[in-house]
Amino acid sequence: MAAADRQDHVLDRLAATVASRRGADPSTSYTAKLLAAGPAKAAQKLGEEAVETVIEAVRGDPAGLAAESADLLYHLTVLWAAAGVDPARVWAELERREGTSGIAEKASRGTQAQES
């Protein structure tokens, strides 16, 4: 997907909203509160949401899974902002991997890790 096409994607709009909350009053913005607490707190919340997402998947509840997935993506976006990761970097990495076998991609990461 070209950068111009991504401009209007809901995840890009979410990331822009999250970024706009940096420095806002934590007493009036949950996002500002998470960002003020730093990457470790954002990561903790992401982990909690990941577990809740898995639970809904195991329960077989599509509506619950969709709702928890939205929470998971929100908290992932907050973690990226807290850690200084531009979503465009993530999109570029996904585009780099596009069309590559998952098995081959995982094997290449294993080789890189062993070489480091």
Side-chain angles (χ1 to χ4, degrees):
M1 183 183 299
D5 295 335
R6 284 196 309 260
Q7 253 178 348
D8 291 327
H9 193 278
V10 66
L11 290 175
D12 287 310
R13 293 192 309 271
L14 174 61
T17 299
V18 167
S20 76
R21 299 299 192 267
R22 183 177 303 284
D25 183 355
S27 70
T28 62
S29 168
Y30 177 67
T31 301
K33 182 177 178 178
L34 286 175
L35 290 171
K41 182 63 174 179
Q44 175 192 349
K45 292 301 295 179
L46 178 66
E48 292 170 9
E49 294 301 335
V51 169
E52 292 172 12
T53 302
V54 169
I55 290 168
E56 293 303 325
V58 171
R59 286 183 58 215
D61 178 3
L65 178 57
E68 291 300 338
S69 294
D71 290 348
L72 181 66
L73 289 170
Y74 161 76
H75 283 88
L76 179 58
T77 304
V78 172
L79 177 57
W80 291 342
V85 174
D86 186 325
R89 185 173 185 175
V90 178
W91 309 153
E93 180 62 18
L94 287 170
E95 286 174 346
R96 183 189 70 75
R97 295 179 187 188
E98 191 171 20
T100 303
S101 158
I103 293 171
E105 199 282 325
K106 279 189 173 251
S108 74
R109 283 191 279 157
T111 302
Q112 291 170 354
Q114 290 172 359
E115 292 174 357
S116 298

